[in-house]
Amino acid sequence: MEQFKMKVKRRITLLSVGTLGIVVFCVYGFFAMASRTMEDGTFAEFQLGLLFGIGVRAIIEIVKLSMVMKDNKKLKMLYNKENDERLKLIRSKSGMPMLMITSTLMLIAAVISGYFNTVVFLTLIIAATVQLLIGVIVKLYCMKAM
Amino acid sequence: MKTRIRQLRKERKLSQEELALAVGTTRQTITSIEVGKYTASLVLAYKIAHYFELTIEEVFDFSDVNEL
């Protein structure tokens, strides 16, 4: 349990650093948007929105993990949830680890390609979204069936 | 696979969450095992049986398992 506590502490630290970086980028993006042309307005707004969404999610996770650290019972429940054999099987059946990695890579590629080609940017966004949606549907089905 | 987990829980006035916490799993997994939707692994089955101070055969019903 001590090792898991350290793991959670590390997670909180990483999320905090990540959130700080996102805040800096968002602030820069907000002020830089004023100088952008109409043509790349959509891309800039998407980038800002995506980062804002990730930032909000990260803050929620930091608060949740901080509350878990204060309660041993909640810490044990989190440990059980992360190591539960049934949930591991469901995650594996829905292709979750690989799906998350490929979707994240597609979103990063979309953000980069947005500087060069809007069509490629939109295609990658839609593909990543559909991929994640399919993964979620399969996961929900497996949770119901098992 | 049928089990006696619900009956054993009720005898000891134990909630699904308490049992899940004790054996290192989630309440949803205990529910799935009780209704027969999910078959526990050997390790989890042992942990549950050990918690109730019984053998695996006394907790899990293997009569449905096809004979070789």
Side-chain angles (χ1 to χ4, degrees), chain B:
Chain B
M1 178 180 280
K2 293 190 197 119
T3 73
R4 287 181 53 220
I5 297 172
R6 183 169 284 177
Q7 177 198 335
L8 291 164
R9 269 197 313 107
K10 299 247 187 264
E11 283 170 9
R12 289 158 174 78
K13 292 183 172 60
L14 203 63
S15 69
Q16 285 180 333
E17 196 163 309
E18 285 166 341
L19 177 61
L21 202 66
V23 301
T25 188
T26 59
R27 187 193 58 79
Q28 290 84 354
T29 301
I30 296 293
T31 307
S32 287
I33 294 171
E34 283 182 3
V35 300
K37 272 187 181 177
Y38 178 72
T39 304
S41 69
L42 177 62
V43 173
L44 184 57
Y46 170 78
K47 282 181 182 176
I48 293 171
H50 185 73
Y51 181 81
F52 288 120
E53 292 171 352
L54 297 167
T55 63
I56 291 176
E57 292 85 354
E58 286 171 317
V59 177
F60 295 85
D61 180 6
F62 290 95
S63 59
D64 287 343
V65 174
N66 294 330
E67 288 190 19
L68 290 168

Side-chain angles (χ1 to χ4, degrees), chain A residues 84-96:
Chain A
D84 182 47
E85 60 179 49
R86 180 178 151 265
L87 286 176
K88 274 186 184 172
L89 186 64
I90 288 168
R91 274 183 224 126
S92 139
K93 280 195 171 198
S94 59
M96 264 308 150

Side-chain angles (χ1 to χ4, degrees), chain A residues 46 102-103 105-114 117-131:
Chain A
F46 172 81
T102 53
S103 299
L105 288 173
M106 280 163 90
L107 284 173
I108 292 169
V111 167
I112 295 167
S113 68
N117 190 320
T118 317
V119 174
V120 172
F121 162 72
L122 285 170
T123 308
L124 283 167
I125 295 298
I126 291 166
T129 308
V130 168
Q131 194 173 252

